[in-house]
Amino acid sequence: MIENAGYFLKIHPPQKEFLVHLNLHESKMCIFFLVLAFIGSTQAATDYSGHQVLRVTPRTEEHQQWLRDMEITMVNEIDFWSDVKNIPGSTVDVMIPGRHLATFLDIFNNKNIPVSIMIDDVGLLINEQERNRKKRSATNHDLGSFDYTVYHTYEEIQQWILDIAAAYPTIATSFVLPKRSYEGRTISGIKIRGTGGSAGIRKGVYFEAGIHAREWISPATLIYITKTLLEDYMTGESMAVRLVDTFDWYIVPSLNPDGYVHTWTKERMWRKTRSNNAENAFSGCTGTDANRNWPYEWGGKGTSSHPCSNLYQGKGPLSEMEVEAVVEFLRDKKDKGQDFVWFIDWHSYAQYIITPWSYSTDAPDPPNLQNMLEAGQVMADAIASYKSNTFYEVGTTAELLYEFSGASIDWSYAPYNKYDRTAGGLDVPYSYVVELRDINKYGFILPEDQIEDSGKESVLGVYAMGTYIIDVLSAEGKL
């Protein structure tokens, strides 16, 4: 045990106990940590009662680095809901168990870091939303009873994919990615191809959601976008017709099914995949951050080699079957002559529209960065035009937010390498992460009464960005 004066936190992972020493020396604090080889999941659902989400405002670069170190070293005890951004004065949301609140508030006070309460009791909010869900009957009997204003289980989403494809047989088909999830679940999607466009190979669009399991609003919003695109096309809405007749659309609403199921049954705040890290010394820790596992610039900044971390990069690029399945699927399309021009990975929360690069602020700007940013702003303006007046910020990931490697949008944007799937990307000129609602109140526990508004404003954003992309590519002679 470290003997220096300071704070001790008693940590209680399942079946084990250890101490984390937080050592204060004048104005500087160093974090020392011990992590046991066994930190496993429990059989019972995690109880978040008394957990608070604190909104922390680092004042200096030292504060920012200290928080980044804490995010890595405190692993399973505190949960960073948002990342430590590069922008001075940007807030960081951190969920802390009730038993540690007094200690952490004292630490933040000693570091002169302002703190406010974002969510007073995470468990209370989760339980209230769960009670509301249990009051309604299952909605997956058929497409006519499917409710687009509520969250759905993995099984309901899979059935919806089959039902929506069957309802629009002339323009929609279901597909399955070439690999199942780690726990053996099918990862399904929908292909949309208009009847009025070119009969040959068209440019491709790929949208995915749910790569981070707890971000429930992302699958719900992408489902809403998909059904609206289909409905509008069939009724002759001009923008939908242009988008669907120009591109082949590939849409995967739930990319991380194991993690998503786990959030419904065991841990609502689970983020990662559910792969087993048994080959590592930290054998009890499960899962990888699938958005740190893409092959382009894998293993660099903003990731962790610690398998207990929420930022764990995996044992190697494409170690996660879910990520490998997407790469294999899209590379196969590319090898057969289909170029992809538009990629969106839907996330929550923060209300950002962000572009490459993610892996480094020192990387040269993408050649068409200005066009990507303009398209992003067009989307943001369209979203803001909706009645809710929801405002999104637009910028590159590394400069607007923070640096992290192995990101989906870096891989999708990077030049294509036909011979080595770990050496390049997909060469998609318009690649984005869209961080959905909200920014001030609920975070990952967004109430169901916001799903419809999120869907409607996102449809406006997709239509506007898609129109911009078509116009630019047409003017450049690339369509």
Side-chain angles (χ1 to χ4, degrees):
M1 181 181 297
I2 301 168
E3 300 296 338
N4 295 346
Y7 295 93
F8 286 90
L9 297 181
K10 183 173 282 190
I11 308 302
H12 299 278
Q15 304 182 22
K16 296 288 182 178
E17 175 177 297
F18 61 93
L19 295 178
V20 172
H21 182 265
L22 304 177
N23 182 28
L24 291 173
H25 288 291
E26 300 178 345
S27 64
K28 295 184 178 180
M29 185 173 76
C30 298
I31 301 175
F32 299 91
F33 68 97
L34 298 171
V35 181
L36 292 182
F38 185 81
I39 305 178
S41 61
T42 60
Q43 294 300 312
T46 299
D47 182 6
Y48 294 95
S49 298
H51 287 50
Q52 284 190 351
V53 179
L54 302 181
R55 177 153 285 177
V56 181
T57 307
R59 296 178 183 269
T60 65
E61 290 184 4
E62 179 189 1
H63 288 166
Q64 291 172 342
Q65 187 56 52
W66 178 79
L67 287 168
R68 291 187 182 104
D69 292 341
M70 180 181 286
E71 182 175 15
I72 295 173
T73 58
M74 295 302 292
V75 289
N76 281 8
E77 271 308 302
I78 62 176
D79 184 0
F80 278 67
W81 280 24
S82 61
D83 294 271
V84 184
K85 305 174 185 66
N86 292 328
I87 302 172
S90 294
T91 59
V92 184
D93 301 335
V94 187
M95 184 176 71
I96 299 178
R99 64 185 180 274
H100 296 330
L101 274 169
T103 298
F104 274 96
L105 288 172
D106 191 18
I107 292 170
F108 288 134
N109 181 62
N110 276 281
K111 293 289 289 182
N112 195 27
I113 300 177
V115 175
S116 62
I117 297 175
M118 176 181 166
I119 298 177
D120 186 61
D121 191 323
V122 173
L124 188 65
L125 186 57
I126 291 173
N127 293 337
E128 179 183 353
Q129 293 184 10
E130 177 64 19
R131 284 193 297 271
N132 291 337
R133 281 193 294 276
K134 287 181 177 179
K135 289 178 183 177
R136 70 172 190 264
S137 59
T139 60
N140 64 330
H141 302 301
D142 54 55
L143 188 62
S145 65
F146 191 89
D147 189 345
Y148 291 92
T149 67
V150 301
Y151 294 117
H152 289 276
T153 65
Y154 163 77
E155 292 77 13
E156 290 172 344
I157 293 173
Q158 299 309 295
Q159 187 61 50
W160 173 82
I161 289 172
L162 297 176
D163 291 344
I164 197 78
Y168 297 92
T170 60
I171 60 171
T173 55
S174 63
F175 65 86
V176 174
L177 293 184
K179 294 183 181 295
R180 290 176 175 263
S181 70
Y182 178 81
E183 293 178 347
R185 293 182 174 88
T186 298
I187 307 173
S188 302
I190 302 164
K191 178 183 177 182
I192 303 173
R193 180 182 174 92
T195 58
S198 168
I201 297 176
R202 301 180 188 175
K203 302 297 186 183
V205 174
Y206 176 76
F207 286 2
E208 67 179 27
I211 194 171
H212 289 149
R214 62 189 176 186
E215 298 169 11
W216 285 11
I217 190 60
S218 67
T221 298
L222 187 51
I223 287 169
Y224 197 97
I225 292 168
T226 304
K227 76 100 177 179
T228 304
L229 189 63
L230 291 166
E231 290 173 349
D232 285 353
Y233 182 84
M234 297 305 290
T235 59
E237 199 280 332
S238 59
M239 282 192 289
V241 169
R242 192 179 185 207
L243 290 171
V244 174
D245 280 345
T246 300
F247 300 127
D248 281 351
W249 294 70
Y250 301 90
I251 297 171
V252 177
S254 184
L255 182 61
N256 178 10
D258 299 346
Y260 187 69
V261 169
H262 193 74
T263 62
W264 279 80
T265 58
K266 295 292 178 63
E267 295 180 72
R268 175 62 183 88
M269 291 297 106
W270 185 260
R271 167 185 169 98
K272 300 189 289 182
T273 64
R274 294 294 300 166
S275 54
N276 186 356
N277 297 320
E279 72 284 351
N280 193 285
F282 298 97
S283 59
C285 294
T286 298
T288 289
D289 182 347
N291 205 30
R292 304 294 190 277
N293 193 242
W294 299 74
Y296 189 73
E297 294 291 339
W298 176 85
K301 298 176 182 177
T303 68
S304 175
S305 58
H306 192 312
C308 296
S309 170
N310 264 342
L311 305 179
Y312 178 49
Q313 64 202 18
K315 61 184 179 182
L318 299 177
S319 65
E320 302 313 286
M321 299 174 74
E322 298 82 359
V323 177
E324 186 181 20
V326 176
V327 171
E328 184 176 323
F329 178 79
L330 295 177
R331 281 180 61 89
D332 179 67
K333 300 293 181 186
K334 180 81 170 178
D335 286 341
K336 292 176 179 177
Q338 183 164 42
D339 292 326
F340 285 79
V341 295
W342 190 12
F343 177 106
I344 297 182
D345 191 352
W346 297 84
H347 287 252
S348 73
Y349 61 97
Q351 296 174 199
Y352 287 115
I353 301 165
I354 50 183
T355 70
W357 297 109
S358 299
Y359 73 91
S360 176
T361 55
D362 297 326
D365 286 343
N368 69 325
L369 177 60
Q370 190 57 40
N371 281 343
M372 273 197 291
L373 294 175
E374 287 178 4
Q377 192 59 54
V378 165
M379 171 180 262
D381 292 344
I383 291 172
S385 72
Y386 183 65
K387 65 179 181 180
S388 57
N389 294 318
T390 307
F391 296 100
Y392 280 62
E393 291 188 59
V394 181
T396 63
T397 311
E399 293 181 351
L400 183 61
L401 302 180
Y402 45 87
E403 295 172 303
F404 72 93
S405 305
S408 62
I409 58 171
D410 283 2
W411 174 81
S412 65
Y413 185 83
Y416 186 64
N417 186 317
K418 180 177 178 62
Y419 304 102
D420 187 350
R421 65 179 187 164
T422 64
L426 193 64
D427 200 22
V428 180
Y430 291 88
S431 297
Y432 299 90
V433 162
V434 175
E435 296 274 1
L436 295 162
R437 297 180 175 207
D438 65 352
I439 53 175
N440 292 318
K441 192 171 183 180
Y442 296 107
F444 298 121
I445 320 173
L446 196 71
E448 291 180 322
D449 61 14
Q450 294 197 35
I451 294 175
E452 186 171 23
D453 281 342
S454 176
K456 287 183 175 179
E457 65 196 15
S458 297
V459 167
L460 294 176
V462 166
Y463 284 10
M465 178 180 279
T467 299
Y468 175 95
I469 291 172
I470 290 174
D471 288 343
V472 173
L473 293 178
S474 297
E476 293 173 346
K478 296 178 181 178
L479 276 183

